[in-house]
Amino acid sequence: KDSLYLPAQERTGVPWIFWGAIHFREGSCNPKRQCWNGEFFDRVTKLVPAKKGPWPTWLAAAIALAEHSKWTSITKWSEPKMLQCGEKHNGLGGAQRDLDSSYLWAGCHWGRKTGFWIRDHVFDPKAEDPRPGIAPIIKAIVDSGAWTP
């Protein structure tokens, strides 16, 4: 958290806990991979969203994402706000199908049988997301006492 997420919080106002959760989902917390879609930050993106970057650092990519997503204008962060921003960041395709988002809920009882976007624009209703969603990640950190709104 100290080397990536706290500086991102200081520069954007977006809580480090949210940066960590989406970076886990997008780039497996690899400091060479950015939070837009998990590709390397020093290359132009090819996945959705395509044609973003390159950036000189992970932090520069994070700042660009926060500004693009208008997260920098949020003055009061909470767990529900993080989930709302996370779902919008990942895409609302599940909501359009009246499904819970595996990006949010995978790994907890709310995330069962949500289906899974196996790649950009390809949804498999029978697939299960192998990684935990941001909700259980955020909950575990909050429950540990490491973050409070």
Side-chain angles (χ1 to χ4, degrees), residues 39-57:
E39 293 182 86
F40 292 101
F41 66 75
D42 61 350
R43 301 177 191 162
V44 175
T45 62
K46 295 178 183 170
L47 301 174
V48 173
K51 301 179 182 175
K52 301 291 184 188
W55 300 275
T57 63

Side-chain angles (χ1 to χ4, degrees), residues 124-140:
D124 183 343
K126 294 181 182 174
E128 288 191 32
D129 195 332
R131 300 163 299 162
I134 67 170
I137 293 169
I138 290 169
K139 181 170 178 10

Side-chain angles (χ1 to χ4, degrees), residues 2-3 6 13-14 22 27 29 47-48 51 77 81 88-89 93 95 99 103 108 119 135 139:
D2 293 342
S3 64
L6 284 177
V14 177
I22 64 168
C29 294
L47 301 174
V48 173
K51 301 179 182 175
W77 283 89
K81 179 56 78 176
K88 187 173 180 186
H89 168 67
L99 295 171
Y103 192 85
C108 60
R119 62 184 170 276
K139 181 170 178 10

Side-chain angles (χ1 to χ4, degrees), residues 29 74 92:
C29 294
I74 298 170
L92 301 173

